[in-house]
Amino acid sequence: MDTILVVNAGSSSLKFEVFSIEGGLHKRLKGQMEGVGTAPHLRVKDGAGAVIADHVFEPGDVADLPAAMRHVGAWLVERHEGRLVAVGHRVVHGGPDYTAPVLIDEKVIADLERYVPLAPLHQPNNLAPIRAILERRPDLPQVACFDTSFHRGHSAVADHYAIPEHFFAEGVRRYGFHGLSYEYVAGRLPEIAPEVAGGRVIVAHLGSGASLCALSAGRSVESTLGFTALDGLPMGTRCGQIDPGVILYLLDQKGMTAHEVQDLLYKDSGLKGLSGVSNDVRALLESTEPSAAFALDHFVYRIGLNAGMLAAALGGLDAFVFTAGIGENSPDMRARISDGLRWFGAALDAQANARGDLLISTPESVVRLYVVPTDEELMIARHTLAISGH
Ligand code: ADP
């Protein structure tokens, strides 16, 4: 059995999936090494969702992502019966030039290292497993799939900040992220919602990271995320859109260092910062703290505002699609967000929403509302299969 490994490396976790490729892609394994460097824990499930591995490691044994990749690799060699023919990686930043997934070689790695300053918290983690695999298995084709590529068709007007032009040439521009998720959802729409696939659609990727993407006939024309994954909607721990003057204030008046500001905006803001309770929407929905309810109100309000902005980019709206952890699993949040879209003519069908149907708007609704589960790993596996030539 020939297989493809998909690797999604975050700051302290390494997620992976294995797909067999005979007769189409089939998910065989799904696992993650969490708590890298602190409390490493490897869990793997088979294609049917049964747990087939559950190991706790000493922090020193899995101190960093290359070590996590070595452990996962060793586990796969020992336990996985397939023959690995290619590896696909999620890479957050493809810069201005990588408009599509690419077969990795030394030049590609050197290019992607240039984008580390553009995504200092994510890009090094994405590159570490690539190098770890290259060292052990230089023969194995590796493919980089970018969160930015799907948005590279945006107009220059959309991609610019109103600062002197030379910054744009240096790479200071609006990139947009969550592109693999949006590409997957855009690819599903012609099959499951052909009546809107050719029209004006906003997709809301609402997970621990959150953004909206405006699709015109399936192509991304606007995103709430910009230069970094900090912009747009408030997220689990990230601030979302903020007046740059606040950052100047923190630096000048509060004497914070750039690093402290970075930590504040990436790790201690968003739902966590506002509520003081949690970054997890489930915990906020259950909490009786007024600050938890306030944080959710703010989140819903900002989604409504940003939806208006993206609808302006599209010149109207035919459909709004919910996806990712919050969008797929929380009827309560979908109802609140849909309420903010009523002025567009969106009317939620409460029963369909409670059931988590694909179509959750009423037949009269002017804007159709959908729930479409995303699958970034499958998207990466597809690209990897196509590019590695198997
Ligand atoms: P990521 O892959 O970025 O970690 P996910 O798409 O898995 O994110 O989304 C994770 C988030 O989804 C969690 O932080 C949680 O807030 C939210 N979530 C998951 N299930 C539910 C649920 N049943 N109700 C509300 N929120 C949920």
Side-chain angles (χ1 to χ4, degrees):
M1 176 175 65
D2 285 354
T3 59
I4 282 179
L5 171 67
V6 170
V7 176
N8 181 356
S11 55
S12 66
S13 74
L14 184 91
K15 296 184 189 168
F16 61 97
E17 293 193 9
V18 173
F19 294 82
S20 60
I21 63 176
E22 232 96 298
L25 287 163
H26 297 284
K27 204 168 282 196
R28 298 286 171 176
L29 295 175
K30 180 185 171 87
Q32 59 178 333
M33 177 80 86
E34 280 182 322
V36 174
T38 53
H41 186 176
L42 175 69
R43 267 173 80 86
V44 189
K45 293 180 179 172
D46 66 14
V51 176
I52 54 169
D54 198 343
H55 300 299
V56 172
F57 296 86
E58 291 298 319
D61 288 344
V62 193
D64 53 21
L65 282 169
M69 197 61 242
R70 281 195 295 275
H71 279 279
V72 167
W75 187 90
L76 286 170
V77 167
E78 195 186 310
R79 296 286 304 275
H80 173 50
E81 284 155 13
R83 188 179 74 104
L84 199 58
V85 295
V87 185
H89 296 266
R90 179 180 187 177
V91 176
V92 71
H93 224 301
D97 299 326
Y98 285 98
T99 56
V102 63
L103 195 62
I104 297 170
D105 58 18
E106 291 293 346
K107 176 182 179 304
V108 171
I109 295 181
D111 280 351
L112 298 183
E113 265 164 5
R114 291 206 330 258
Y115 305 139
V116 166
L118 302 183
L121 299 185
H122 296 95
Q123 194 83 343
N125 298 326
N126 300 155
L127 296 180
I130 293 176
R131 278 202 218 86
I133 293 172
L134 194 63
E135 261 175 36
R136 301 230 151 187
R137 292 285 310 273
D139 56 304
L140 202 57
Q142 297 195 72
V143 174
C145 302
F146 305 103
D147 268 321
T148 46
S149 294
F150 188 61
H151 303 294
R152 292 283 52 77
H154 290 187
S155 69
V157 166
D159 268 0
H160 269 73
Y161 289 111
I163 55 177
E165 175 64 25
H166 66 86
F167 286 109
F168 184 83
E170 281 173 31
V172 184
R173 52 178 85 183
R174 300 186 63 240
Y175 291 98
F177 298 89
H178 294 138
L180 292 158
S181 173
Y182 292 128
E183 186 181 7
Y184 177 81
V185 173
R188 292 280 288 143
L189 289 180
E191 302 158 25
I192 58 180
E195 58 284 6
V196 299
R200 303 158 299 180
V201 179
I202 292 177
V203 184
H205 177 105
L206 307 176
S208 40
S211 70
L212 306 181
C213 174
L215 294 178
S216 175
R219 289 180 42 250
S220 170
V221 296
E222 187 53 272
S223 161
T224 56
L225 284 170
F227 179 56
T228 67
L230 270 185
D231 205 0
L233 307 178
M235 307 176 212
T237 63
R238 289 176 247 159
C239 60
Q241 185 193 9
I242 191 166
D243 181 340
V246 174
I247 291 146
L248 298 177
Y249 171 82
L250 297 175
L251 293 170
D252 283 350
Q253 303 299 317
K254 303 292 282 187
M256 289 173 75
T257 64
H259 196 263
E260 286 166 342
V261 173
Q262 175 170 291
D263 276 354
L264 175 78
L265 301 181
Y266 274 96
K267 297 179 182 163
D268 292 322
S269 297
L271 297 173
K272 178 184 172 196
L274 260 187
S275 69
V277 173
S278 175
N279 61 326
D280 191 315
V281 167
R282 280 166 296 201
L284 297 177
L285 285 167
E286 280 165 20
S287 171
T288 52
E289 292 290 328
S291 61
F294 180 81
L296 291 177
D297 285 348
H298 179 79
F299 182 59
V300 168
Y301 172 70
R302 299 297 308 184
I303 292 171
L305 281 187
N306 280 270
M309 185 174 85
L310 263 55
L314 289 167
L317 191 62
D318 301 310
F320 189 95
V321 179
F322 293 92
T323 194
I326 302 163
E328 292 169 26
N329 298 308
S330 180
D332 192 343
M333 294 304 290
R334 289 197 298 262
R336 295 192 203 192
I337 293 163
S338 301
D339 205 40
L341 303 175
R342 276 216 312 240
W343 68 274
F344 274 130
L348 186 73
D349 176 332
Q351 274 93 42
N353 182 42
R355 288 192 301 267
D357 286 358
L358 166 69
L359 180 66
I360 57 169
S361 51
T362 65
E364 297 76 39
S365 185
V366 178
V367 173
R368 294 167 78 94
L369 305 169
Y370 296 90
V371 182
V372 180
T374 193
D375 196 338
E376 290 154 300
E377 286 76 19
L378 180 57
M379 199 67 237
I380 294 170
R382 282 183 191 155
H383 284 310
T384 304
L385 184 61
I387 288 187
S388 64
H390 285 280

